[in-house]
Amino acid sequence: MDNSPFSEDFVAEVLDACVCPLCHSKLNFVDSQFTCRRCNSVFSNTSGIPMFINQKMQSAKIQHLSQLYDRASFKYKDRPQSCGYSGNIGFYSRLSILKKWFNFEQVQGLKILDIGCGAGLLTENLVKQNIIWGVDISPALVTIARQKGLKAILSSADLLPFKTDDFDIVLCVGVISYYKKPGKIISEICRTTKPKGKIVVSSSANSYLIRFVRFIKNALGINSQLEHLYCYEEIEQLLKSEGMHIEDSCIGYNDNIWSFSNGPMNFKQKLFGRSVAVLCSAQPIS
């Protein structure tokens, strides 16, 4: 199947999988643009990639981040640090958490959504055996993700252009840290996940180490792009408010992963944690 932007195959896939992010109605494809059948919203393209986001739908913060990652994308050489991660440790702590919960070799035949997919580093090894959709705000990074086989499109995390109850697994790794109020993002994640589907939401940890690093950067005049550092209890509460069932919560530092299903974190974990994550499942429809 031809996965290139605006091939007949890909357009058919988008029309089948995607809806208007504003009213969740079906789309048409006319003159290289996707249009909503109900509200008549028009979604154009950037470098041939569907763009389900526009300036009216973006905050100044998101527009700034999009431009920042576009400018840095030329450095991309399969290294996490070139894709927005502060370093390899930050990336591998998140990847290790995913591998704690999912055996990548056994994840097959599933429809997976990677929110904030960037260049596709987290999910590129799952592409051959699964259908991976990715959304990001950077056209340059989405282009790289598409080259790896992800069905990546431009979209904001709080206005997802996908059908309700559509994905077996939804990953939102490191995205909510850029928002002080991520409630709409969590709501969209839960909306697009199938009943009994799995959800992983992660954030930069609210640990002493991360807070100290942010303090030093601020003292040096290096502005952090992160709006808020979350502890796992905050993420759990956000997911519970949407009716999700919490299965496990973790904090990670490189390949050292601590689970809190059997108790709260200790001082060492509070000190060194790089990433926190929560695994939950959508409740079946009664």
Side-chain angles (χ1 to χ4, degrees):
M1 180 174 288
D2 188 351
N3 193 37
S4 59
F6 295 156
S7 68
E8 289 187 9
D9 287 337
F10 184 64
V11 168
E13 285 188 313
V14 171
L15 291 176
D16 180 62
C18 296
V19 295
C20 173
L22 300 174
C23 70
H24 303 157
S25 298
K26 290 184 177 181
L27 300 168
N28 289 323
F29 184 70
V30 181
D31 296 330
S32 298
Q33 295 181 322
F34 291 94
T35 60
C36 177
R37 298 183 185 182
R38 178 187 294 175
C39 69
N40 297 318
S41 296
V42 178
F43 305 98
S44 57
N45 67 88
T46 297
S47 301
I49 298 171
M51 186 174 182
F52 290 104
I53 188 171
N54 55 47
Q55 288 190 350
K56 291 182 179 180
M57 297 163 63
Q58 287 179 302
S59 65
K61 174 79 173 181
I62 297 304
Q63 291 182 42
H64 170 70
L65 288 172
S66 174
Q67 296 166 3
L68 179 68
Y69 288 134
D70 278 347
R71 290 195 300 269
S73 66
F74 75 93
K75 300 184 296 184
Y76 177 71
K77 294 180 180 178
D78 286 319
R79 294 182 297 108
Q81 195 163 0
S82 67
C83 298
Y85 292 96
S86 58
N88 288 356
I89 290 178
F91 169 75
Y92 286 112
S93 63
R94 290 167 175 165
L95 181 61
S96 295
I97 288 176
L98 289 184
K99 289 187 174 181
K100 169 185 170 61
W101 288 330
F102 301 103
N103 184 332
F104 277 25
E105 294 181 357
Q106 296 179 2
V107 176
Q108 298 183 11
L110 300 181
K111 191 173 183 180
I112 300 171
L113 175 59
D114 185 355
I115 298 174
C117 65
L121 288 178
L122 281 172
T123 50
E124 60 183 325
N125 292 327
L126 297 173
V127 166
K128 289 184 179 180
Q129 302 296 332
N130 304 275
I131 298 173
I132 312 291
W133 283 87
V135 298
D136 203 274
I137 58 174
S138 165
L141 292 182
V142 164
T143 298
I144 296 171
R146 290 188 58 78
Q147 292 168 355
K148 295 181 174 183
L150 278 75
K151 302 180 188 300
I153 57 177
L154 286 161
S155 175
S156 175
D158 55 357
L159 286 169
L160 294 175
F162 297 106
K163 295 177 180 178
T164 299
D165 300 336
D166 203 33
F167 291 95
D168 299 291
I169 299 174
V170 176
L171 307 176
C172 184
V173 177
V175 173
I176 66 169
S177 306
Y178 294 99
Y179 296 81
K180 287 183 179 178
K181 297 180 179 180
K184 188 65 169 64
I185 297 174
I186 300 298
S187 177
E188 282 290 270
I189 290 170
C190 297
R191 178 185 67 81
T192 55
T193 306
K194 291 180 179 179
K196 298 186 179 180
K198 303 293 184 182
I199 296 170
V200 175
V201 177
S202 82
S203 164
S204 295
N206 187 21
S207 64
Y208 299 128
L209 173 66
I210 300 298
R211 280 151 52 185
F212 177 73
V213 170
R214 292 191 75 192
F215 173 80
I216 295 298
K217 284 185 174 181
N218 288 335
L220 295 174
I222 304 173
N223 294 327
S224 172
Q225 303 299 329
L226 303 182
E227 290 285 353
H228 186 69
L229 300 175
Y230 290 87
C231 58
Y232 72 91
E233 293 98 336
E234 289 178 278
I235 301 175
E236 283 186 354
Q237 188 55 47
L238 285 167
L239 290 162
K240 285 179 180 178
S241 69
E242 294 290 335
M244 299 297 105
H245 171 68
I246 306 300
E247 296 189 3
D248 195 13
S249 299
C250 285
I251 193 166
Y253 179 81
N254 203 10
D255 58 352
N256 298 308
I257 308 299
W258 299 287
S259 172
F260 306 126
S261 56
N262 297 318
M265 67 175 76
N266 57 37
F267 177 77
K268 180 180 178 181
Q269 295 156 3
K270 291 180 181 179
L271 179 63
F272 290 111
R274 295 295 299 258
S275 299
V276 293
V278 174
L279 170 70
C280 70
S281 57
Q283 300 282 15
I285 297 175
S286 57

